[in-house]
């Protein structure tokens, strides 16, 4: 009886293998491209800092300022990919690159969303994926106490860039494994990731975009399925033991 229980418990543990295991990865040819800004009025795209794609989007009609250093600029976003190769391990967050938010006073209507698409090569395959960024262009001027985010040294409300709460993942197969790319969010490092960041008016603010690649063996059930299977085996062991005890008492 004890042997049977040990066997069932052992089978349950075997059924719950460690699916998360680190595998060295190397990402090459990373690109970032902005598109589909909405509304599209007074919006333009450009390739800057040596990029081969439109890695910058600008929007809005600039509001003149007395400050010659900031007057007349559009608001906008720029993404600089991490220089290749991006070396690391699966199951460990890595830095896709740096997002810069240019926040200047522009007239409305202004852009409220824009798509950001990525591409890179890994294990000889080219992955393409993307998502939409939210742009919260707050009213300029007025009472600072009414700002959603507290202004610093300016009369205008800061603006916010938001990361989507949900988006599709990207998966591919290689050498008997399913690799899944997941975007995590913004942050200065992998331990401080958030779904948004703010930029003071008349300033440029930067943050990093983090992602992770997870692995799973082809044909292995998802962790939830494995857990249910293990619990079922343990329950079966308990039932067998209970029946044997009852049979022993009757004997």
């Amino acid at each position: 009886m004890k042997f049977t229980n040990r066997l069932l418990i052992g089978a349950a543990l075997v059924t719950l293998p460690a699916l998360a295991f680190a595998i060295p990865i190397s990402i090459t040819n990373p690109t970032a491209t902005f598109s589909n800004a909405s509304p599209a009025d007074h919006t333009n795209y450009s390739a800057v800092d040596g990029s081969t794609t439109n890695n910058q989007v600008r929007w809005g009609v600039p509001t003149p300022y007395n400050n010659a250093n900031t007057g007349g600029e559009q608001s906008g976003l720029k993404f600089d990919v991490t220089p290749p190769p991006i070396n690391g391990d699966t199951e460990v967050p890595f830095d896709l690159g740096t997002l810069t938010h240019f926040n200047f006073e522009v007239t409305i209507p202004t852009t409220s969303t824009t798509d950001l698409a990525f591409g890179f090569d890994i294990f000889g395959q080219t992955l393409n994926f993307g998502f939409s960024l939210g742009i919260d262009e707050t009213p300029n001027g007025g009472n600072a106490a009414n700002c959603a985010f507290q202004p610093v040294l300016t009369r205008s409300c800061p603006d916010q860039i938001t990361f989507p709460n949900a988006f599709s993942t990207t998966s591919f197969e290689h050498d008997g494994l399913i690799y899944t790319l997941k975007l995590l969010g913004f942050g200065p490092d992998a331990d401080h990731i958030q779904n948004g960041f703010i930029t003071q008016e008349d300033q440029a603010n930067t943050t990093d975009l983090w992602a992770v690649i997870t692995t799973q063996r082809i044909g292995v059930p998802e962790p939830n399925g494995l857990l249910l299977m293990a619990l079922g085996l343990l329950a079966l062991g308990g039932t067998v033991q209970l029946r044997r005890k009852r049979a022993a008492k009757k004997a």
Side-chain angles (χ1 to χ4, degrees), residues 140-159:
N140 299 319
N143 188 348
N146 296 329
C147 292
F149 315 105
Q150 190 61 37
V152 177
L153 301 178
T154 68
R155 65 184 178 84
S156 301
C157 296
D159 295 345

Side-chain angles (χ1 to χ4, degrees), residues 32 55 60 80 112 127 131 156 162-163 165 172 190 209 211 230 243 250:
N55 66 326
D80 295 304
S112 59
L127 294 188
F131 58 96
S156 301
T162 57
F163 189 76
N165 292 324
F172 65 97
L209 179 62
R243 288 179 177 175
K250 291 180 179 180

Side-chain angles (χ1 to χ4, degrees), residues 101-143:
H101 178 206
F102 305 100
N103 184 18
F104 301 113
E105 287 197 12
V106 293
T107 59
I108 55 176
T110 62
T111 297
S112 59
T113 63
T114 185
D115 292 346
L116 179 55
F118 292 97
F120 60 69
D121 296 340
I122 180 172
F123 295 131
Q125 302 188 54
T126 299
L127 294 188
N128 294 288
F129 59 99
F131 58 96
S132 292
L133 287 171
I135 304 163
D136 185 4
E137 282 276 0
T138 56
N140 299 319
N143 188 348

Side-chain angles (χ1 to χ4, degrees), residues 10 27 33 40 48 53 62 122-123 156 163 170 177 182 192 206 225 235 242 249:
I27 294 172
T33 308
V48 296
T53 63
I122 180 172
F123 295 131
S156 301
F163 189 76
T170 300
L177 294 174
K182 299 179 181 179
H192 300 86
T206 62
L242 181 60
K249 287 181 179 180

Side-chain angles (χ1 to χ4, degrees), residues 5-53:
N5 288 341
R6 292 195 192 101
L7 181 62
L8 288 169
I9 293 173
L13 294 176
V14 170
T15 310
L16 289 171
L19 293 180
F21 45 92
I23 296 175
I25 55 174
S26 182
I27 294 172
T28 58
N29 300 322
T31 61
T33 308
F34 285 103
S35 64
N36 299 325
S38 178
D41 306 68
H42 308 290
T43 301
N44 61 80
Y45 307 92
S46 60
V48 296
D49 299 333
S51 176
T52 58
T53 63

Side-chain angles (χ1 to χ4, degrees), residues 184-202:
L184 301 176
F186 304 125
D189 54 59
D191 294 325
H192 300 86
I193 295 176
Q194 300 178 328
N195 64 354
F197 74 106
I198 65 171
T199 303
Q200 298 294 324
E201 205 72 41
D202 305 331

